[in-house]
Amino acid sequence: MRILTIDTSAVASAAILDFDPSNPVKTAELVANFVTEDTRSHAEVLAPGVKSLFGDPITEGPALDAIVVGTGPGPFTGLRSGIAMARTLSFTWGVPLYGMMSLDALAHQVFDSPEYRDGVAVAPLAVRDFVIATDARRKEVYWAKYSAGAQLLDGPHVGPADDIFGVQVFGAGAGLYEEVRHGQPLPGV
């Protein structure tokens, strides 16, 4: 199964993933990806970024099995750019479109990522409830709490970082503000 993912809840990003839904043990394979570091130019960079993922978007786009778009939380303008792009491509290519809370996608990344010591996977990254936090700017974070199995327990919320305490925190908002302690960025983020 091949899907195009688009998320603009923080930076503008997109990826093409291949995976076998009948094999729950094997994680998705990254075919191509695009990420910008600029959090304020989604509309300008997203279309060329998505186009760069394909050799020929006119023939490869309709062959996708699905498009999945991040639905936030995040700044309205950025989210609007990503959702509008995903809807347009879905309509144009005749490909099913699904929305996914961006924090949920990051929680699944935590669930799928092992903790490494000396280059050896030794344990799951999260062994108990955890929080995914991303930057909401102005000393606030978007956050949600998940079980060790990546099931949503509470949220999403937006508020001061000191609302989060006593739990392991992952994501770009982990440690961003002094109030969030013991945070860890996600692998590869």
Side-chain angles (χ1 to χ4, degrees):
M1 177 172 237
R2 182 165 281 200
I3 62 171
L4 169 65
T5 63
I6 297 173
D7 188 25
T8 53
S9 61
V11 298
S13 62
I16 296 177
L17 304 174
D18 274 341
F19 69 96
D20 180 357
S22 66
N23 184 354
V25 176
K26 186 175 183 214
T27 58
E29 176 188 339
L30 179 64
V31 176
N33 72 315
F34 157 79
V35 179
T36 180
E37 296 300 318
D38 186 359
T39 61
R40 300 182 193 276
S41 65
H42 298 81
E44 295 87 355
V45 300
L46 188 58
V50 169
K51 183 179 180 188
S52 73
L53 302 178
F54 298 95
D56 180 11
I58 294 172
T59 58
E60 293 174 38
L64 292 169
D65 294 295
I67 298 172
V68 178
V69 64
T71 59
F76 174 74
T77 302
L79 289 174
R80 182 179 56 191
S81 298
I83 292 169
M85 168 71 69
R87 289 185 66 175
T88 300
L89 294 175
S90 172
F91 176 77
T92 303
W93 291 334
V95 174
L97 174 63
Y98 304 94
M100 180 177 201
M101 185 170 65
S102 304
L103 299 174
D104 286 353
L106 295 173
H108 286 282
Q109 184 179 353
V110 169
F111 178 73
D112 287 339
S113 300
E115 179 182 339
Y116 288 94
R117 289 193 195 122
D118 299 322
V120 177
V122 295
L125 203 52
V127 294
R128 61 187 185 283
D129 294 354
F130 64 93
V131 164
I132 295 293
T134 60
D135 189 11
R137 301 187 186 126
R138 298 185 180 142
K139 296 211 174 211
E140 292 188 322
V141 291
Y142 300 112
W143 66 276
K145 186 176 182 180
Y146 295 86
S147 71
Q151 297 299 312
L152 180 65
L153 300 174
D154 185 27
H157 302 281
V158 61
D162 60 2
D163 285 352
I164 305 168
F165 56 91
V167 67
Q168 201 173 12
V169 182
F170 297 91
L176 186 62
Y177 302 112
E178 189 175 320
E179 297 86 5
V180 178
R181 303 196 195 311
H182 305 96
Q184 299 178 30
L186 286 171
V189 175

